[in-house]
Amino acid sequence: MKKCKVKLTAIEYKGKTYKPGKVIELDDKDAADLIKSDFVAEIKPHFQEEKTPEELAQEERRKELDDLTIPELKEMAVDMELQLEVTKKAEIIEVIMEAEDEL
């Protein structure tokens, strides 16, 4: 589902009429079609707007680490000479990322 704002012309969607300026939620396929034909504009959540290259790199690194298994993460932490006091995967990833930031 995507949040969209109706542009200059009223539209009918699933039996309801929406006037210009109205914010509605559309199925992804319908949203893509209506955005393409310029009837609606997608409203992006704030967290998707303008991320710095550093934030994008951190997200990418977090995804890479998340793809690893816990034993692989623990091995990486040992290689980095980190003392792990946590056992959950998300916490291990956080410790590794903090250590990498300090390098």
Side-chain angles (χ1 to χ4, degrees):
M1 296 294 282
K2 291 186 180 184
K3 267 192 178 175
C4 296
K5 185 174 185 178
V6 178
K7 286 191 166 184
L8 301 174
T9 306
I11 63 168
E12 187 174 321
Y13 179 69
K14 293 191 176 180
K16 290 186 178 180
T17 301
Y18 298 95
K19 295 182 179 181
K22 180 78 175 165
V23 175
I24 59 174
E25 285 202 19
L26 303 169
D27 294 329
D28 290 345
K29 182 185 178 306
D30 294 334
D33 292 342
L34 290 169
I35 290 168
K36 192 177 188 180
S37 53
D38 209 34
F39 286 110
V40 298
E42 182 177 359
I43 299 173
K44 296 195 186 272
H46 293 298
F47 65 87
Q48 286 185 334
E49 292 177 6
E50 299 180 32
K51 291 186 179 177
T52 65
E54 184 180 274
E55 290 171 326
L56 293 171
Q58 281 184 335
E59 280 183 12
E60 183 63 31
R61 181 64 177 147
R62 186 175 305 276
K63 287 178 188 173
E64 290 171 4
L65 292 173
D66 196 44
D67 288 341
L68 299 174
T69 64
I70 290 177
E72 290 171 325
L73 289 168
K74 286 183 177 181
E75 183 179 328
M76 181 182 284
V78 168
D79 291 345
M80 294 173 72
E81 298 177 0
L82 298 175
Q83 297 296 322
L84 287 180
E85 298 174 7
V86 294
T87 56
K88 293 182 180 173
K89 186 175 184 177
E91 293 170 339
I92 296 170
I93 290 172
E94 196 62 39
V95 169
I96 289 171
M97 289 189 66
E98 285 175 10
E100 287 177 341
D101 285 345
E102 292 175 10
L103 296 177

